[in-house]
């Protein structure tokens, strides 16, 4: 039905409606005599599209459900001559309609139907007045702020008939796929985007003092960024940290977050003790019969220290007798391209080159050894083969032997196979090839590498050791070609982060030979003595390990473990950051580095402004791409924390579907929830039972997974998010959806000076205003009207933050001034 025909039908019905005014019209009559005619005869809907008075378990009978098959909406019918209290105007916010108590019941009623049906849009009508709105939001926005389109009687419909038709007709809804209620443009700006800010694209230049010291840091702490650099035996001995089996735990939560061997495969060696793991691996390498062991797979979490374990095991731990009997070749696959992996000749040649380089004592390039390797072939050719005619010409035979060996060496796979046979018999040695960092490659290339390792294992009859992340092994273990092999599997448990850092700083303090250094700081010439340089590292050590409840150490442990590499990267960010006050830390023998200075250095590195996309400190108030609720990430974390606490951390994984269902009932959008969950997974604040957070490519949908909060997620939600220094950072790139607050905060948000400092008074004022803004945003977006029986969904997050720390306990110290946060809660 076109709009012209529809308008004619409307005029006809309008005249008929005048006759109905004199009759007694019930709610049922409103449906059958008026709304049926409007939607079928005027708006073109068919009976097949309409469902009437169906029963819903929790809310009873609804009046209409109208559907195109792809889009549905609910109509709530009221008596015709019971007037709806409508204000003047075509569009009005639902919260304005709710100011009249007579509208509360009908709006509450249609919302209950929509919630149970999982639909957003509904129509309220008494036959001649219409309220059309989105009564349920699935994106975290406050539904009361949604606009309702009002048609206040047939005269109003006649004046705005095109709009009425475009909204509700079958043709329009089918064409658009929905009832299109256009929303107001949402204001959204970030302080970081202010055009008057200076140094946005600049880096903070370190003074000469920092620069000189960083040269020492770079040498001594080079292994912080890359644990495979721990190749020096002395360094390994001093810095390596052993794990011991944990028999008692200080709390139930510590039991939940220990790095234990996974239980998804019964073949995994089930201890956390480093010495027992080393002994078990050594036992698999060589048994009493000298038989070929199955491939050995070392699994562990991302950054847990698999490479360091391998280095220590083969260079320090392994018995000298065992080392002699299993000459090992270490291959770091980060330096091998995908094309090279697909070229067996290249890989075999690389193994050969490494064998010559690292196992020179075997003298495999020695001519006499080569003749021994090919003794059988040489004898066969000399006695009965092609060379037998040169029996009386030893020089010629020697030349032929030389040519033969040269030809075999030119074929690395065949030559390596012969070398392996020689090592096995008569040398009674077996070659061991280590494939490390295979999990740094793309997934398809990892498969090629795994197949290559199996081929080398069978072809050379050598020992193969492969290191993999738990996540990749979990994905592979039951799929071809990986399910065709029966490997020995060992879990490499992450060592204590505290002990790793402690040993490395102590190593610097005890071992390093500092030298006097000269330079300038703010135009003043300085000379660093070896004692003053040592003070810097001694103060670091004291701050972290000589004080009770070191906040810096707690931050590093809680936000990193079991990813030791990540924790070391954060520590290294502090050491090399332009914001780190090296000269201050070297001036006083007992200087305690404050947590807020440490966090600032880690968060900003050498940038002047905070940007969450490049920082190691995450912004939990930043909504996902399509969201505009500042609290969804935090509410998800509190929900998962409550779930874990309710089972005393025994059954801490829950189905993602359960969480989504709970949030959707409160008006959250499923797609946006998924975006937020994926971001939390990427940040390492939640985890999946299937170890997908351990792999490089995260899925777009984790609906069918089991999830839990991580140790880092708990620390962010309960600790970091309550601190002044956190708000001071994240307000810089959090989108502000209120124009007034954005303008007010902008007045106080100033550019930092050349040294990265901003006036403390203005920083405090920005935080005060930002907190007030967040309080109002949460009140606007919080769905307390729906009781779902879950503390996390009903709690007021900003109240928790303010009562925990920010409003009452936080004081910011700068020189001789103390500023206390004062937030207006009205």
């Amino acid at each position: 039905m076109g709009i012209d025909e529809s308008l004619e039908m409307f005029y006809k019905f309008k005249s008929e409606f005048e006759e109905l005014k004199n009759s007694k019209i019930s709610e049922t009559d409103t449906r059958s005599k008026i709304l049926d005619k409007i939607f079928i005869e005027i708006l073109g809907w068919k009976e097949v599209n309409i469902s009437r008075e169906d029963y819903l378990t929790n809310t009873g009978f609804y009046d209409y459900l109208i559907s195109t098959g792809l889009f549905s909406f609910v109509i709530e019918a009221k008596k015709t001559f019971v007037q709806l209290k409508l204000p003047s105007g075509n569009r009005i916010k639902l919260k304005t309609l709710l100011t009249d108590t007579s509208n509360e019941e009908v709006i509450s009623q249609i919302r209950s139907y929509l919630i149970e049906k999982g639909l957003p849009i509904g129509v309220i009508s008494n036959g001649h007045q219409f309220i059309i709105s989105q009564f349920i939001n699935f994106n975290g926005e406050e539904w009361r702020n949604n606009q309702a389109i009002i048609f206040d009687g047939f005269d109003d419909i006649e004046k705005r008939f095109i709009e009425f038709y475009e909204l509700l007709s079958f043709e329009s809804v089918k064409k658009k796929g929905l009832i299109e209620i256009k929303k107001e443009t949402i204001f959204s700006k970030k302080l970081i985007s202010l055009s008057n800010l200076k140094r946005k694209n600049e880096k903070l230049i370190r003074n000469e003092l920092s620069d000189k010291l960083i040269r020492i840091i770079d040498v001594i702490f080079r292994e912080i960024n890359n644990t495979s650099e721990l190749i020096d035996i002395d360094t390994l001995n001093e810095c390596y940290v052993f794990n011991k089996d944990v028999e008692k735990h200080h709390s139930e939560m510590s039991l939940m977050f220990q790095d234990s061997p996974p239980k998804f495969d019964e073949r995994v060696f089930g201890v956390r003790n480093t010495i027992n793991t080393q002994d078990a691996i050594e036992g698999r390498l060589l048994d009493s019969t000298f038989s070929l062991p199955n491939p050995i797979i070392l699994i562990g979490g991302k950054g847990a220290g698999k490479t360091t374990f391998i280095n220590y095991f083969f260079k320090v731990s392994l018995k000298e007798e065992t080392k002699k009997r299993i000459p090992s070749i270490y291959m770091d696959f980060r330096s091998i391209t995908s094309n090279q992996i697909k070229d067996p000749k290249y890989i075999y040649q690389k193994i050969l080159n490494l064998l010559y380089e690292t196992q020179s004592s075997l003298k495999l390039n020695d001519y006499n050894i080569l003749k021994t390797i090919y003794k059988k072939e040489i004898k066969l050719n000399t006695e009965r083969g092609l060379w037998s005619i040169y029996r009386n010409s030893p020089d010629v035979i020697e030349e032929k032997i030389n040519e033969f060996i040269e030809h075999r060496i030119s074929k690395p796979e065949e030559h390596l196979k012969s070398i392996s046979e020689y090592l096995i018999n008569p040398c009674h040695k077996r070659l061991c090839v280590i494939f490390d960092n295979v999990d740094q490659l793309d997934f398809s290339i990892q498969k090629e590498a795994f197949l290559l390792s199996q081929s080398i294992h069978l072809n050379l009859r050598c020992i193969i050791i492969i290191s993999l992340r738990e996540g990749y092994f979990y994905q592979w273990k039951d799929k071809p070609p990986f399910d065709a092999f029966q490997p020995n599997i060992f879990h490499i448990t992450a060592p204590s982060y505290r002990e790793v850092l402690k040993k490395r700083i102590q190593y610097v303090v005890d071992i390093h030979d500092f030298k006097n250094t000269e330079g300038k700081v703010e135009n003043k010439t300085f000379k660093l003595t070896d004692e003053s340089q040592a003070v810097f590292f001694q103060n670091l050590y004291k701050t972290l390990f000589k004080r009770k409840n070191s906040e810096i150490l707690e931050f590093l442990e809680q936000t990193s473990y079991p990813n030791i590499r990540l924790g070391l990267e954060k520590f290294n960010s502090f050491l090399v950051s332009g914001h780190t006050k090296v000269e201050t830390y070297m001036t006083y023998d007992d200087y305690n580095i404050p947590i807020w200075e440490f966090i600032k250095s880690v968060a900003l590195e050498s940038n002047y402004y905070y940007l969450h996309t490049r920082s190691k400190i995450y912004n939990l108030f930043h909504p996902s791409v399509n969201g505009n609720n500042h609290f969804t990430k935090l509410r998800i974390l509190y929900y998962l924390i409550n779930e874990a606490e309710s089972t005393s951390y025994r059954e801490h994984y829950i189905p993602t579907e359960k969480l989504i269902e709970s949030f959707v009932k409160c008006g959250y959008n499923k797609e946006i929830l998924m975006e937020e969950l994926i971001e939390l997974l990427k940040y390492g604040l939640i985890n999946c039972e299937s170890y997908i957070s351990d792999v490089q490519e995260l899925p777009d949908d984790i609906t069918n997974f089991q999830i839990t909060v991580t140790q880092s997620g708990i620390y962010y939600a309960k600790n970091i998010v309550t601190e002044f220094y956190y708000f001071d950072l994240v307000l810089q790139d959090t989108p502000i959806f209120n124009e007034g607050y954005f303008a007010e905060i902008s007045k106080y948000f100033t550019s930092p000076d050349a040294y990265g400092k901003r006036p403390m008074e203005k920083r405090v004022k920005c935080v005060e205003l930002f907190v007030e803004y967040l309080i109002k945003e949460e009140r606007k977006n919080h769905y307390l009207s729906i009781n779902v029986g879950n503390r996390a969904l009903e709690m007021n997050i900003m109240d928790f933050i303010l009562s925990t720390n920010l409003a009452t306990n936080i004081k910011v110290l700068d020189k001789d001034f103390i500023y206390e946060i004062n937030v207006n809660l009205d």
Side-chain angles (χ1 to χ4, degrees), residues 39 43 71 73-75 84 86 90-94 97 110 120-125 129-135 146-151 157 160 163-169 173 178-182:
F39 278 89
L43 296 174
F71 174 79
F73 62 98
V74 169
I75 301 175
L84 297 170
L86 304 178
N90 300 338
R91 288 174 176 261
I92 198 75
K93 288 188 176 181
L94 287 173
L97 287 174
I110 196 168
I121 292 175
V123 177
I124 298 171
S125 179
Q129 292 175 302
F130 288 80
I131 301 172
I132 306 160
S133 185
Q134 182 170 318
F135 293 92
N146 291 350
Q147 285 194 330
I149 300 176
I150 305 297
F151 291 94
I157 291 174
R160 300 161 53 209
E163 183 182 3
F164 186 74
Y165 180 87
E166 286 294 317
L167 278 168
L168 295 177
S169 71
V173 174
L178 75 166
I179 293 177
E180 189 176 32
I181 303 172
K182 293 182 179 179

Side-chain angles (χ1 to χ4, degrees), residues 539-547 550 552 591-593:
N539 278 334
L540 276 179
Y541 190 89
K542 290 175 185 177
T543 296
L544 294 170
F545 305 111
K546 294 294 186 181
R547 302 178 191 278
S550 167
I552 292 176
Y591 186 84
N592 183 33
I593 301 168

Side-chain angles (χ1 to χ4, degrees), residues 617-632:
I617 303 296
Y618 311 125
N619 184 356
L620 291 178
F621 293 111
H622 196 291
S624 64
V625 175
N626 295 303
N628 58 10
N629 188 330
H630 296 297
F631 298 93
T632 305

Side-chain angles (χ1 to χ4, degrees), residues 613-651:
T613 53
R614 68 186 177 199
S615 179
K616 293 182 178 69
I617 303 296
Y618 311 125
N619 184 356
L620 291 178
F621 293 111
H622 196 291
S624 64
V625 175
N626 295 303
N628 58 10
N629 188 330
H630 296 297
F631 298 93
T632 305
K633 286 186 181 71
L634 273 169
R635 205 169 292 282
I636 289 172
L637 291 177
Y638 292 131
Y639 181 95
L640 292 173
I641 290 170
N642 287 344
E643 288 290 323
E645 288 176 347
S646 68
T647 61
S648 299
Y649 299 96
R650 289 189 302 273
E651 299 293 334

Side-chain angles (χ1 to χ4, degrees), residues 599 610 617-621 716 720-731:
I599 295 291
Y610 171 82
I617 303 296
Y618 311 125
N619 184 356
L620 291 178
F621 293 111
Y716 263 89
I720 294 181
V721 80
T722 68
E723 299 288 352
F724 170 84
Y725 59 74
Y726 185 73
F727 283 84
D728 188 33
L729 287 168
V730 301
L731 66 82

